[in-house]
Amino acid sequence: MRSTEDLGSSHGWRLQRGVLDDGRQVFAKTGVVSEVFTSEAAGLRWLGEAIAVPEVIEAGPDRLVLSWVEQERPSVAAAERFGRALARLHRSGAPGFGAPWPGFIAELPMDNSPCDDWPAFYAERRVLPFLREARLPASDVAAVERAVERFAEVAGPAEPPSRIHGDLWSGNVLWSGGSAVLIDPAAHGGHRETDLAMMALFGLPYLDRVLGAYREEWPPADGWRERVPLHQLHPLLVHVVLFGESYRDSLMEAVRRVLAL
């Protein structure tokens, strides 16, 4: 790169804005030696077959370079375009529940090895591993485990694997080009309601318009709104692991709602 601008740090890696020798603007993450960058690149390329994502210019064990995304203010029209695009992404499908690359959410590893059905995948590859890392009181652990035992009962109608972003909170949705560009995926074959629930967890501009357009393109199964807490268990456990007890109350409220389904 012929010039760089430091953008600070996140999850242990440095963030930079740069200009390549050919004049292209790029975004770079550097400073970590792990599989996290190559995993992210694999997920971006896979999602990019069906929805707008940054171009992967370089990916290695200690560096990820992506095309720069010029952001704009969100709008109703952009939200509706994004909702339709997200439905098409999900509908493009996946070979199974999981992915052929190692999983990460932030810097935390996730097991992407396949499972035969989504409730088993969600329990064994997402919720229970993070429950073991969360250092919760024994009574909380027991409550989460009771919720896990109900996954097959409360997950709704079985669906084939969807191609999902996997960490679709508002910070990973960049408004650009009259729609949205998705970044920082934890991409895998999963349940499409996981992405819908994640957008609701921390809020997204014009979420009602995103979901309205999504439903027009590919309506979720009946009862999906009641299942939102089920799909929020994993991201809330991730936040407990990363940030501690401040997310415990939100997690346990989601657990109570799952147990009440």
Side-chain angles (χ1 to χ4, degrees):
M1 285 185 281
R2 72 185 190 202
S3 66
T4 59
E5 173 190 356
D6 186 63
L7 300 177
S9 62
S10 176
H11 300 294
W13 45 80
R14 301 298 304 174
L15 309 179
Q16 294 177 316
R17 180 176 183 172
V19 179
L20 300 180
D21 291 340
D22 61 10
R24 286 181 294 168
Q25 293 191 70
V26 296
F27 173 78
K29 299 179 181 181
T30 61
V32 170
V33 179
S34 80
E35 295 177 293
V36 64
F37 293 153
T38 52
S39 173
E40 181 177 340
L44 284 170
R45 292 183 177 116
W46 187 55
L47 297 179
E49 296 172 3
I51 201 169
V53 299
E55 176 190 358
V56 177
I57 296 170
E58 180 184 347
D62 61 352
R63 180 155 127 148
L64 177 64
V65 182
L66 307 173
S67 59
W68 181 261
V69 177
E70 202 63 48
Q71 297 185 63
E72 60 196 24
R73 293 179 63 85
S75 67
V76 168
E80 291 175 347
R81 290 189 194 99
F82 171 47
R84 290 189 289 272
L86 183 63
R88 292 192 293 270
L89 168 70
H90 290 165
R91 205 165 199 170
S92 66
F97 295 105
W101 50 80
F104 289 88
I105 188 162
E107 72 270 30
L108 302 176
M110 297 190 299
D111 186 354
N112 272 345
S113 55
C115 278
D116 291 336
D117 62 80
W118 182 78
F121 176 83
Y122 192 54
E124 297 168 16
R125 306 288 188 260
R126 293 296 181 261
V127 172
L128 291 176
F130 284 85
L131 178 61
R132 290 191 285 269
E133 299 293 328
R135 299 184 180 180
L136 291 167
S139 58
D140 291 355
V141 172
V144 175
E145 290 174 339
R146 288 196 300 274
V148 169
E149 291 171 357
R150 301 201 66 215
F151 282 0
E153 177 185 353
V154 303
E159 291 193 355
S162 289
R163 187 175 307 211
I164 71 169
H165 179 281
D167 189 16
L168 198 58
W169 72 288
S170 59
N172 289 340
V173 178
L174 303 185
W175 300 98
S176 181
S179 183
V181 175
L182 304 187
I183 63 169
D184 292 348
H188 63 281
H191 199 303
R192 59 188 177 126
E193 291 176 14
T194 295
D195 277 352
L196 304 185
M198 191 65 180
M199 288 191 296
L201 186 56
F202 299 115
L204 184 79
Y206 301 110
L207 179 59
D208 58 334
R209 305 302 283 265
V210 173
L211 294 174
Y214 184 102
R215 291 195 301 271
E216 290 176 4
E217 187 77 24
W218 189 23
D222 290 346
W224 72 272
R225 289 189 184 275
E226 288 71 29
R227 292 189 291 273
V228 164
L230 168 66
H231 291 268
Q232 291 179 343
L233 290 179
H234 173 242
L236 286 169
L237 274 166
V238 169
H239 278 71
V240 172
V241 173
L242 286 172
F243 305 114
E245 192 174 344
S246 59
Y247 285 93
R248 175 182 171 271
D249 288 348
S250 296
L251 168 66
M252 298 315 298
E253 175 59 25
V255 169
R256 284 188 286 273
R257 292 172 65 186
V258 171
L259 291 172
L261 287 173

